[in-house]
């Protein structure tokens, strides 16, 4: 089973709202990732958690706040977003070396109004 | 600096034709992955190549990793409309220390196979 699940599938939020995106995997993977993807562009890395600790933050604005409650769950808390933050938000996970191949979830389509 | 140059960026062909997508870099990669992504969905892992010169086949798809592990290609034989999608190459650059979890993505190839 190589499934990563994400909820919700779609989200519309106003610029003053607070919402959260959720990601779950039960493959025993110890690295989890958040990516942002604009249409017809490659995913852009936002955050990496390794063994439940934040290991990479790609200079993401503080209005995005990641959380890893346990090895299977990853959240992305959203607050005071801008319309330009509208995108497909992808979660991924990977096992360990040597290949680090990442498995992606189906994404959350976020629209900020 | 774009570490992975992927070409072509767009490709529109007729059903039954063959095609090749290229992924090139000046950096050496520990491994390289190919993904296919359909609109509104997440990328789906197709293959991982690790060894220089490696060739892997997945039905009508053939993947090659260059001998020096700096380039890769994806060849599709007798393309079908179901092959339509965004193809992404991605790899881990060697000797990046704490960034070993990072994937470097190519810009993608948007393939359309017309019936």
């Amino acid at each position: 089973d190589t499934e990563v699940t994400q909820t919700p599938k779609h989200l519309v939020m106003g610029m003053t709202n607070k919402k959260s995106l959720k990601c779950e995997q039960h493959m025993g993977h110890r690295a989890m990732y958040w990516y942002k993807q604009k249409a017809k562009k490659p995913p852009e890395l936002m955050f990496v958690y390794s063994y439940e600790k934040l290991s990479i933050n790609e200079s993401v604005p503080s209005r995005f706040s990641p959380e890893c409650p346990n090895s299977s769950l990853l959240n992305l808390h959203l607050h005071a977003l801008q319309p330009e933050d509208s995108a497909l938000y992808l979660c991924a996970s990977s096992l360990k070396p040597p290949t680090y191949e990442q498995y992606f979830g189906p994404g959350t389509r976020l629209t900020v109004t | 600096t774009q570490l992975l140059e992927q070409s072509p960026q767009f490709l529109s062909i007729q059903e039954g034709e063959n095609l090749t997508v290229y992924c090139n870099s000046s950096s050496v990669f520990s491994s390289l992955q190919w993904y296919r992504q359909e609109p509104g969905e997440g990328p789906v892992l197709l293959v991982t190549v690790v060894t220089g010169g490696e060739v892997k086949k997945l039905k009508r798809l053939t993947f090659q990793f260059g001998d020096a592990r700096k380039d890769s290609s994806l060849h599709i034989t007798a393309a079908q409309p179901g092959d339509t999608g965004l193809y992404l190459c991605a790899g881990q650059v060697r000797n990046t220390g704490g960034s070993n979890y990072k994937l470097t993505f190519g810009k993608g190839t948007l393939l359309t196979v017309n019936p």
Side-chain angles (χ1 to χ4, degrees), chain A residues 76-97:
Chain A
L76 185 62
H77 303 297
L78 314 173
H79 174 55
L81 295 193
Q82 303 297 311
E84 59 264 29
D85 296 321
S86 298
L88 182 68
Y89 286 83
L90 295 163
C91 174
S93 69
S94 65
L95 182 56
K96 56 185 179 181

Side-chain angles (χ1 to χ4, degrees), chain A residues 9 31 33 35 37 40-43 45 48 50-51 56 58 88 90 94 99-106, chain B residues 9-10 30-31 33 35 37 40-43 45 48 50 86 88 92 98-103 105-107 110:
Chain A
K9 179 73 172 172
Y33 312 76
Y35 287 87
Q37 187 180 29
K40 300 180 183 178
K41 299 292 185 182
L45 183 65
V48 180
S50 173
Y51 292 87
I56 296 176
E58 292 287 276
L88 182 68
L90 295 163
S94 65
T99 63
Y100 292 104
E101 52 192 17
Q102 296 183 16
Y103 294 89
F104 286 83
Chain B
Q9 194 171 351
F10 300 96
S30 300
S31 68
Q33 286 79 43
Y35 294 86
Q37 185 176 22
E41 298 293 330
L45 180 65
T48 297
V50 179
L86 179 68
L88 295 159
Q92 288 86 29
S99 299
N100 275 344
Y101 283 105
K102 290 181 66 171
L103 273 181
F105 280 88
K107 288 189 175 182
L110 190 59

